[in-house]
Amino acid sequence: MTAWGIEARARLDVQGRRLECACYGPPPGDAPTLVLLHEGLGCVDLWRDVPERLAAETGLGVFAYSRQGYGRSDPVTRPRPLDYMEREARDVLAAVMDAAGLQDVILLGHSDGASIAAAYAGSVSDRRVRGLVLIAPHFFVEAQGFEAIRAAGRDFATGDLRARLARYHDDVVGAFHGWHDAWTDPGFATWSIADAIDHWRVPVLAIQGREDAYGSLAQIEEISTRIYAPFEELILDHCGHAPHLEQPDQTIAAIAAFCARLVRLERADVAVA
């Protein structure tokens, strides 16, 4: 169990691995919990002040963790399998939520984390999950995403990306190449988790910037054409791959409004005929 409190930091033992985590706002049992799933090069600290702001503006608990191989969590063995996001969803996420003592949750993922949340909601029957917030999700591979990742590889090799990331990851080489080498593997070109959308049965909010170098609005259109659950979208002009950092006020306001609607629905009395 984590020590829950404002900016409480802890390490979770999950399946024999130590994972860095942080929690904010009310503990499970007092309110639902937003579970933050970071991007392919992210970790707890790279959410910046977003967890604190979300806790303050939603009144919900917020739980963030660094997946294995990221931040201060235990390192991961490389190469990562090409279905590493589906494996995180299928084999790890529920165990993390169990270890943290989470009850009712809203999964909030960014980029790879959004894909993990999407895969979880589409493949795992978990009544704790009340909604999804997907920021810049990936459901399939696009050419522009390949080029952006290759550019990041060049920056890591010859630019300052490695030094910048090293401030946040104990194993910066493992963190970077675990992500980069999977996405640029020729076998990854046919990767798709779009069929997960067909199985969602909870409300969903998707947020994307129009200038996202890693994915186009086709990712959001995939949701709108397939989803059977309530769906909202926020498309931000003059915004790239990280709306929560580039346009935090609009992004957090939209998330807070979505969460408030979910909580009202959960608490509403349902008339019985």
Side-chain angles (χ1 to χ4, degrees), residues 28-228:
D30 290 353
T33 305
L34 280 160
V35 178
L36 272 53
L37 303 168
H38 62 74
E39 63 175 308
L41 294 177
C43 63
V44 168
D45 285 336
L46 282 170
W47 284 106
R48 312 292 186 186
D49 66 345
V50 170
E52 297 98 319
R53 290 192 62 181
L54 285 171
E57 298 198 26
T58 65
L60 305 183
V62 177
F63 174 82
Y65 76 101
S66 298
R67 297 190 294 276
Q68 187 182 3
Y70 296 100
R72 311 304 172 200
S73 293
D74 284 352
V76 71
T77 301
R78 289 190 289 126
R80 285 187 182 272
L82 300 188
D83 63 346
Y84 71 93
M85 287 178 278
E86 297 97 301
R87 292 188 186 208
E88 182 76 20
R90 183 183 66 239
D91 301 334
V92 181
L93 181 53
V96 171
M97 293 194 291
D98 290 345
L102 304 186
Q103 299 177 22
D104 296 327
V105 305
I106 299 166
L107 300 180
L108 187 161
H110 172 223
S111 192
D112 275 19
S115 300
I116 292 166
Y120 189 83
S123 63
V124 179
S125 179
D126 188 340
R127 294 176 62 85
R128 291 176 294 188
V129 177
R130 304 301 191 180
L132 301 178
V133 178
L134 307 177
I135 302 174
H138 304 295
F139 298 101
F140 50 84
V141 175
E142 296 182 83
Q144 70 185 69
F146 266 134
E147 182 48 44
I149 292 167
R150 291 190 187 99
R154 294 190 291 271
D155 191 9
F156 189 83
T158 63
D160 67 349
L161 181 58
R162 177 170 178 162
R164 287 187 284 119
L165 290 175
R167 297 197 295 267
Y168 302 101
H169 301 290
D170 286 345
D171 178 13
V172 67
V173 172
F176 182 82
H177 282 288
W179 165 78
H180 172 274
D181 295 357
W183 274 89
T184 57
D185 187 293
F188 203 78
T190 59
W191 174 84
S192 174
I193 58 165
D195 61 354
I197 300 167
D198 303 336
H199 303 283
W200 294 346
R201 295 297 182 266
V202 294
V204 178
L205 169 65
I207 303 172
Q208 178 125 358
R210 288 191 188 277
E211 284 73 50
D212 189 339
Y214 290 90
S216 74
L217 295 181
Q219 305 288 339
I220 308 303
E221 291 165 6
E222 190 74 16
I223 302 175
S224 65
T225 58
R226 302 182 71 140
I227 193 168
Y228 292 95

